[in-house]
Amino acid sequence: MKALSALIGRNIKLFFKDKGLFFSALITPLILLVLYVTFLGNTYRSSFLSALPEGFTVADGLIDGLVGGQLISSLLAVCSVTVAFCSNLLMVQDKVTGARQDLTVTPVKRSVLALSYYIATAVSTLIIFLITACAGFLYLAKVGWYLSVTDILLIFADVFLLVLFGTALSSIINVFLTTQGQMSAVGTLVSAGYGFLCGAYMPISNFSDGLQKVLSFLPGTYGTSLLRNHAMRGVFTEMANSGFPEEVITGIRDSVDCNLYFFDRSVETGTMYGILFGAAVAAIAVYVLICKMKRT
Amino acid sequence: MKNVIEIQHLSKSFGDIKAVQDLSFHVRQGQLFAFLGINGAGKSTTISILCGQLPKDGGTVTIDGADLDRNIDVVKQNLGVVFQNSVLDKALSVRDNLKSRAALYGIVGKAFEDRLQELAALLDFSDLLKRTVGKLSGGQRRRIDIARALLHSPKILILDEPTTGLDPQTRKLLWDVVTQLRTENHMTVFLTTHYMEEAADADYVIILDSGKIAAEGTPLQLKNTYTGDFITLYDTNETQVRALGVPYETLHGDVYRLAIPDTRAATQLITAHPTLFTDYEIVKGKMDDVFLAVTGKSLVGGEQA
């Protein structure tokens, strides 16, 4: 335990003292937030309005809240992996600088070393995530606030699980990287691809049936859906209170992936939590196992 | 003194390249053991295997009675390593670096503070504790590297080219500390170096070439076996030196260096020409000459020449 806590402390300290690591991790979600608001906001808004049945009018604030909820949930879903990749750069950096040699020459077990990188990255990512979430909430407060305290707590719970999963995923990939060049290349690929795979850039409901079925096997998809559910629940309640028919609301929920289907079977939010948690635990186990088996 | 390192038939290949081939040697407790070879000779591979960082293909390694394959944690507890390049965290302070590393050996709290004070006094870095490692000079950083290697009071200190690029003052401090540790604690020092004058002070030397032992022995044994004596002759002229009929080289002006097979031959030469040998000195060959004779290669300032 002494070794584990010392290593976690070292890794977190290094992350926040290394301005390159810290700012690159912090700036990624903030840039994404600006890009989402600037480029995707209007697209989402038009898409909602065109999806409404003829004769329905929706208050601007409600639409803004809906668009804002979708933007924030997309942002947090993507960042769970991209920020974890940035934060996890230390693992590769230690190989580049030789510090890893200095750590492995001690009696500390490889599994402890692996776990220390994991926990430190998860903590650093969570801190960045909380900053991002707060920035997102400020945006929502400006455009249309429909969140309850429970929603906020559930969003934090979603974020926590996504960070556990994203950190484990980045750890499994990073463990094979030995240069910062490889790290940047993989980081770019993952951040570009993961947004589509988890349904953050485009709702999965827009994809073909076959692709939807394939994506339903990926745990990240359920993380995005959980965030969507909790970030947009208040808006849907308000819509219902305003007299929107149930089928219209269900249609909108389907179109933004609040309702996910595994081979035509609706997946409940409890099941989504189970899938995400199980995937995170499995990924951590795989990562620790790889580290134990690898000699260098 | 018992053998503190025993290596038997060690071998390691990287694809077609045989980095280490059937290497067998031992190191006695308290010895200053020098491991010489050009880059790629197999020194770093051997050290990496010794430290448990690289799996071996064959052979056995025993450190202070503990088998590397069966008791790697015990082996690691007995080893302190000063790497070729500083591997401490440059963004952290000296104290934070040493604190995080000490914890990996279970040294925390008061035990760490006490050890830190001892090492800071020994290596004279009390005033550097709050400084960021990345902002230290090369010599200062080296002192911290050594302190890090000594944190857990290891029985064996591995110094992998520890003085390359260091100023003379830090180099002297390093060797003074090493000598003190060997004298007071019977610490064994396993040294790789490109500086032959450092190898000349070793108790035992192994010269490695292409992954195999090319020569081994005490510096004196190696000098006697692989080089002759040299007479440096002053205040004469080249015609007289040439007339002696022995190989020579002009050092500068009227100073010449004669190569003689051994001390007996040198004595004979001097007594046969008493009028010529009025100002001279006889020296044994240097470790550079040994290295050149054994490997056909020379080491100059850390590079193969």
Side-chain angles (χ1 to χ4, degrees):
Chain A
M1 273 310 280
K2 284 177 195 167
L4 180 63
S5 58
L7 282 169
I8 293 170
R10 171 214 176 240
N11 295 348
I12 292 175
K13 224 175 220 182
L14 271 176
F15 176 76
F16 286 104
K17 287 218 169 183
D18 188 323
K19 290 174 182 63
L21 282 177
F22 174 57
F23 284 112
S24 65
L26 180 65
I27 211 155
T28 307
L30 296 180
I31 287 176
L32 274 178
L33 178 63
V34 173
L35 293 177
Y36 270 101
V37 171
T38 311
F39 296 107
L40 287 182
N42 283 338
T43 312
Y44 286 166
R45 172 187 288 272
S46 316
S47 147
F48 280 133
L49 291 174
S50 61
L52 286 173
E54 231 176 280
F56 270 94
T57 51
V58 185
D60 277 352
L62 215 52
I63 284 288
D64 287 340
L66 200 65
V67 170
Q70 192 175 3
L71 287 178
I72 299 312
S73 53
S74 297
L75 175 73
L76 293 177
V78 171
C79 290
S80 65
V81 169
T82 53
V83 173
F85 259 88
C86 287
S87 307
N88 227 341
L89 193 67
L90 181 67
M91 189 197 292
V92 184
Q93 200 162 283
D94 276 353
K95 291 180 194 166
V96 176
T97 61
R100 191 179 171 86
Q101 256 187 307
D102 198 32
L103 301 177
T104 53
V105 85
T106 69
V108 71
K109 299 216 175 311
R110 276 166 202 278
S111 51
V112 171
L113 191 57
L115 214 53
S116 77
Y117 283 121
Y118 178 83
I119 296 172
T121 301
V123 171
S124 309
T125 308
L126 261 180
I127 292 170
I128 303 277
F129 239 88
L130 292 179
I131 296 171
T132 310
C134 289
F137 290 147
L138 282 176
Y139 172 72
L140 280 185
K142 189 171 170 285
V143 297
W145 181 270
Y146 294 92
L147 298 178
S148 66
V149 175
T150 313
D151 292 331
I152 293 173
L153 291 177
L154 285 171
I155 287 173
F156 281 138
D158 303 339
V159 161
F160 180 73
L161 275 181
L162 272 169
V163 167
L164 290 188
F165 174 68
T167 304
L169 197 64
S170 71
S171 299
I172 288 173
I173 295 170
N174 286 0
V175 82
F176 295 103
L177 308 182
T178 51
T179 67
Q180 282 181 337
Q182 290 172 349
M183 181 81 190
S184 314
V186 172
T188 307
L189 280 174
V190 169
S191 47
Y194 185 75
F196 286 104
L197 294 178
C198 73
Y201 293 153
M202 268 176 78
I204 290 169
S205 59
N206 289 8
F207 298 147
S208 65
D209 277 356
L211 192 53
Q212 282 188 41
K213 284 191 171 64
V214 172
L215 294 180
S216 68
F217 282 95
L218 304 181
T221 313
Y222 300 98
T224 312
S225 182
L226 282 170
L227 281 167
R228 292 256 201 270
N229 272 295
H230 300 135
M232 299 163 93
R233 187 208 56 80
V235 181
F236 291 129
T237 307
E238 189 61 30
M239 280 182 168
N241 293 342
S242 310
F244 273 74
E246 187 62 35
E247 54 271 27
V248 173
I249 294 174
T250 305
I252 297 174
R253 284 173 58 85
D254 281 351
S255 72
V256 294
D257 294 342
C258 283
N259 296 329
L260 273 187
Y261 298 91
F262 187 78
F263 289 90
D264 299 329
R265 204 172 146 189
S266 177
V267 182
E268 299 300 317
T269 51
T271 313
M272 290 182 191
Y273 275 121
I275 292 169
L276 202 54
F277 183 74
V281 171
I284 295 168
V286 169
Y287 163 62
V288 172
L289 203 65
I290 291 170
C291 289
K292 275 188 88 162
M293 289 168 74
K294 265 176 79 80
R295 285 295 297 262
T296 54
Chain B
M1 286 289 183
K2 65 171 184 173
N3 292 340
V4 75
I5 300 176
E6 285 190 76
I7 292 182
Q8 294 292 326
H9 308 295
L10 184 69
S11 60
K12 174 72 187 173
S13 296
F14 298 101
D16 294 336
I17 299 164
K18 292 179 177 171
V20 174
Q21 303 180 54
D22 197 27
L23 205 62
S24 295
F25 64 88
H26 62 261
V27 181
R28 291 188 186 283
Q29 188 181 7
Q31 264 188 345
L32 171 56
F33 179 91
F35 209 44
L36 306 180
I38 60 162
N39 292 335
K43 304 187 301 287
S44 295
T45 303
T46 307
I47 288 178
S48 294
I49 294 171
L50 218 64
C51 298
Q53 309 237 314
L54 203 61
K56 54 187 167 54
D57 294 342
T60 58
V61 175
T62 311
I63 308 284
D64 198 34
D67 185 273
L68 182 70
D69 294 329
R70 285 196 282 270
N71 295 303
I72 191 148
D73 287 352
V74 178
V75 167
K76 286 181 172 182
Q77 194 70 43
N78 285 328
L79 296 178
V81 187
V82 176
F83 293 95
Q84 268 179 38
N85 301 310
S86 183
V87 288
L88 293 172
D89 300 318
K90 292 182 179 58
L92 299 186
S93 70
V94 170
R95 171 185 280 278
D96 283 345
N97 262 289
L98 296 178
K99 194 175 179 180
S100 65
R101 301 302 199 269
L104 305 182
Y105 296 94
I107 305 166
V108 292
K110 189 172 181 307
F112 167 69
E113 292 300 332
D114 290 348
R115 186 62 181 148
L116 183 64
Q117 294 311 316
E118 277 174 34
L119 292 170
L122 183 70
L123 289 153
D124 191 24
F125 64 85
S126 301
D127 54 333
L128 302 177
L129 287 171
K130 290 181 184 166
R131 296 265 302 273
T132 306
V133 166
K135 290 181 180 164
L136 299 179
S137 70
Q140 289 171 329
R141 205 178 293 175
R142 212 50 173 157
R143 280 187 271 159
I144 311 304
D145 290 335
I146 296 162
R148 182 265 168 269
L150 296 174
L151 273 171
H152 55 297
S153 308
K155 289 182 180 167
I156 301 160
L157 181 64
I158 295 176
L159 301 171
D160 195 1
E161 297 176 24
T163 55
T164 304
L166 286 189
D167 60 278
Q169 195 185 348
T170 310
R171 195 181 292 193
K172 183 179 178 307
L173 173 73
L174 187 150
W175 284 115
D176 287 349
V177 169
V178 167
T179 306
Q180 187 182 336
L181 291 168
R182 289 183 58 217
T183 312
E184 293 175 3
N185 305 344
H186 302 293
M187 182 183 278
T188 307
V189 178
F190 190 107
L191 168 75
T192 75
T193 181
H194 281 126
Y195 294 107
M196 289 297 132
E197 68 269 28
E198 290 177 346
D201 293 332
D203 296 311
Y204 202 81
V205 176
I206 279 183
I207 297 176
L208 216 56
D209 193 20
S210 305
K212 294 181 196 162
I213 294 177
E216 63 179 307
T218 64
L220 184 62
Q221 286 169 341
L222 291 172
K223 286 175 187 177
N224 284 339
T225 308
Y226 294 101
T227 73
D229 286 10
F230 292 93
I231 303 174
T232 307
L233 188 55
Y234 301 93
D235 200 18
T236 183
N237 61 64
E238 191 160 2
T239 312
Q240 286 179 304
V241 173
R242 195 181 300 124
L244 290 172
V246 296
Y248 71 93
E249 61 175 322
T250 307
L251 295 183
H252 50 82
D254 56 359
V255 181
Y256 300 89
R257 190 172 185 242
L258 315 181
I260 313 294
D262 53 36
T263 312
R264 182 191 296 260
T267 309
Q268 284 172 352
L269 187 70
I270 292 163
T271 51
H273 303 88
T275 52
L276 182 59
F277 287 91
T278 53
D279 189 3
Y280 65 91
E281 56 189 331
I282 307 175
V283 290
K284 291 273 179 202
K286 293 179 179 173
M287 285 304 290
D288 296 88
D289 303 311
V290 172
F291 193 87
L292 182 64
V294 171
T295 65
K297 299 149 192 162
S298 65
L299 288 167
V300 181
E303 296 296 329
Q304 182 188 352

